[in-house]
Amino acid sequence: MTNPKINILNSELLSDNWYILKKFEYEYTKNDGTVEIQKREVYDRGNGATILLYDKKEQNVILIRQFRMPTYLNGNESGMVVEACAGLLEEENAEECIRRESEEETGYKVNDVRKIFEAYMSPGSVTEIIHFFVAEYSKDMKVNEGGGLASEHENIEVLEIPFIKALQMIRDGEIKDAKTIMLLQYAQISGLLEA
């Protein structure tokens, strides 16, 4: 942290129940030289990785559906979200994480994963960087039924969807998850699959 315009005055731990929520008070020097005091809450849940599994021959993608409490509290009547496979980095790098998550959540053991970019998903309040990957899959890569880990209370439904339908699901509001929209649009823009 080397920005000379920022001087952190205080940090207060608000919660460490699931991850870390802190309140920061800091001085911010504006472009005109005046200094103002700002306060922000920052949620630190670690960094994550996400992947779009795609079948170039069949023109399909693998997505998952699972319950997401925050969406349920904010207008999603069922709380169910269609999204790309993803997970938090544990004691591993992003590529190791996404290989593990792919197998746990989708049942596919992917070989050649390719990192395409990384992004802050909610930089106004969350520290998390997500590493984005793509990988081709085929039926012979399926090693189990997927569905996530019972120990993590994951009840994941694995979905194999035609790519063209997944794009339509964005337009119809059936896919509202930002990381998934970004991956599907990347696949379209880069020509991974045909739209």
Side-chain angles (χ1 to χ4, degrees):
M1 295 187 288
T2 59
N3 187 340
K5 292 184 172 189
I6 305 298
N7 179 30
I8 297 175
L9 302 172
N10 187 37
S11 70
E12 176 186 354
L13 180 65
L14 301 177
S15 175
D16 66 354
N17 184 36
W18 188 250
Y19 298 108
I20 305 294
L21 177 62
K22 288 185 177 180
K23 182 177 182 180
F24 287 89
E25 181 178 4
Y26 58 96
E27 293 176 333
Y28 180 83
T29 304
K30 296 170 25 175
N31 289 339
D32 66 4
T34 60
V35 177
E36 62 184 22
I37 304 291
Q38 297 184 359
K39 296 178 184 180
R40 297 289 186 272
E41 290 183 6
V42 176
Y43 190 52
D44 184 353
R45 57 183 306 251
N47 295 325
T50 187
I51 191 166
L52 180 67
L53 301 180
Y54 66 98
D55 181 335
K56 198 164 188 77
K57 180 181 173 196
E58 298 296 325
Q59 293 292 301
N60 290 330
V61 295
I62 298 290
L63 300 176
I64 61 173
R65 180 184 289 127
Q66 64 182 320
F67 179 77
R68 296 297 198 183
M69 177 59 87
T71 74
Y72 184 68
L73 297 173
N74 193 22
N76 180 356
E77 290 186 16
S78 71
M80 301 303 287
V81 174
V82 175
E83 60 187 288
C85 168
L88 292 176
L89 276 56
E90 294 173 4
E91 301 292 320
E92 61 205 338
N93 67 41
E95 184 175 323
E96 293 167 337
C97 168
I98 207 56
R99 287 179 185 278
R100 174 182 50 77
E101 289 290 345
S102 293
E103 190 171 335
E104 289 174 5
E105 292 188 0
T106 71
Y108 286 91
K109 186 170 187 155
V110 291
N111 299 318
D112 184 27
V113 301
R114 183 167 53 96
K115 186 172 180 181
I116 53 174
F117 54 81
E118 55 189 60
Y120 291 103
M121 295 304 290
S122 188
S125 59
V126 181
T127 61
E128 178 184 45
I129 292 174
I130 295 186
H131 303 263
F132 287 74
F133 292 86
V134 293
E136 283 195 69
Y137 77 93
S138 59
K139 300 289 184 204
D140 62 334
M141 293 179 180
K142 192 157 180 75
V143 294
N144 63 58
E145 292 306 309
L149 299 178
S151 62
E152 294 181 6
H153 307 287
E154 295 177 313
N155 297 297
I156 294 170
E157 179 185 358
V158 181
L159 309 170
E160 186 171 34
I161 301 172
F163 178 59
I164 197 85
K165 180 180 178 191
L167 293 175
Q168 186 62 47
M169 291 171 74
I170 295 170
R171 289 187 288 273
D172 293 344
E174 294 175 69
I175 294 178
K176 292 184 178 181
D177 175 65
K179 69 184 179 301
T180 306
I181 293 169
M182 292 166 72
L183 283 166
L184 290 169
Q185 289 180 339
Y186 173 85
Q188 182 179 26
I189 292 166
S190 65
L192 285 182
L193 296 163
E194 297 172 15

